[in-house]
Amino acid sequence: MPKSFDCAAAVRRRTARAVAVCSVALLSACATVNAGADFEPGVRLDQYRTFDWAGGDSLPVGDPRLDNNPFFDSRVRAAVELEFAARGLNRSTVSPDLVVHYHASVRQRVDVIRADEGRGYSSPRDGRSEQVLEYEEGTLIVDVAEPKAKAILWRGWAQTDVGGMLNDPREMEKRIRESVRKMMLKFPR
């Protein structure tokens, strides 16, 4: 006996599939920047007025699109210098109070997304609401150190999905600025 066709069920399955695909697309398009910082409790950086960049980083970024990329380097430095200037820190190559160093890395990540079944999101095949999302996670770390003591006083970090920005210079600049701005919100002054 042939199976009967349930038109409403087919529409629900197609709608659920479309919602699931759109959810994944939106999650990757709206890459949020997670940022934070760590420093010794009670540290005050308002006594410092100048900074300069420490020597270059010999560690690879892990992505040939960014390794030894002068445009990426200048975007990171410009974003940090902008945030420091807003906090009263100016660049000086002569006896700076602080030295700044950054490191960036990119790695492949896998994330499982659980959609809210109560809102009708489900997999059209088996009714489960899990999806696997692969993406490229970028991490930017900025260290601020006292050159005489050679001690790190503050470390800021930011992580985000970098998939779409690596091929779009404007998006890259925007995401770098957002990353540095968010980590600098934790800069003790």
Side-chain angles (χ1 to χ4, degrees), residues 57-140:
D57 193 353
S58 61
L59 298 172
V61 172
D63 189 300
R65 296 168 289 187
L66 296 180
D67 279 330
N68 301 313
N69 181 333
F71 307 111
F72 175 74
D73 180 64
S74 68
R75 288 179 186 116
V76 171
R77 289 174 183 250
V80 170
E81 289 176 13
L82 182 71
E83 291 296 327
F84 276 177
R87 287 161 178 77
L89 285 165
N90 297 302
R91 186 165 182 215
S92 173
T93 57
V94 180
S95 301
D97 299 326
L98 299 169
V99 290
V100 181
H101 172 82
Y102 81 87
H103 177 71
S105 68
V106 176
R107 66 182 179 156
Q108 295 293 317
R109 294 294 304 234
V110 176
D111 201 3
V112 177
I113 300 168
R114 296 180 185 266
D116 186 354
E117 289 182 358
R119 295 189 179 178
Y121 297 94
S122 64
S123 171
R125 286 178 287 145
D126 58 8
R128 292 185 321 175
S129 60
E130 295 176 356
Q131 296 175 350
V132 176
L133 175 66
E134 291 184 53
Y135 65 98
E136 294 176 294
E137 178 186 72
T139 301
L140 177 64

Side-chain angles (χ1 to χ4, degrees), residues 39 42-49 87 89 98 144 153-154 187-189:
F39 50 91
V43 71
R44 298 208 31 148
L45 299 176
D46 55 356
Q47 63 184 322
Y48 302 103
R49 299 282 175 245
R87 287 161 178 77
L89 285 165
L98 299 169
V144 175
L153 301 174
W154 181 87
F187 195 76
R189 290 300 288 170

Side-chain angles (χ1 to χ4, degrees), residues 23-45:
S23 296
V24 170
L26 285 172
L27 283 170
S28 60
C30 300
T32 31
V33 174
N34 297 313
D38 197 8
F39 50 91
E40 195 68 38
V43 71
R44 298 208 31 148
L45 299 176

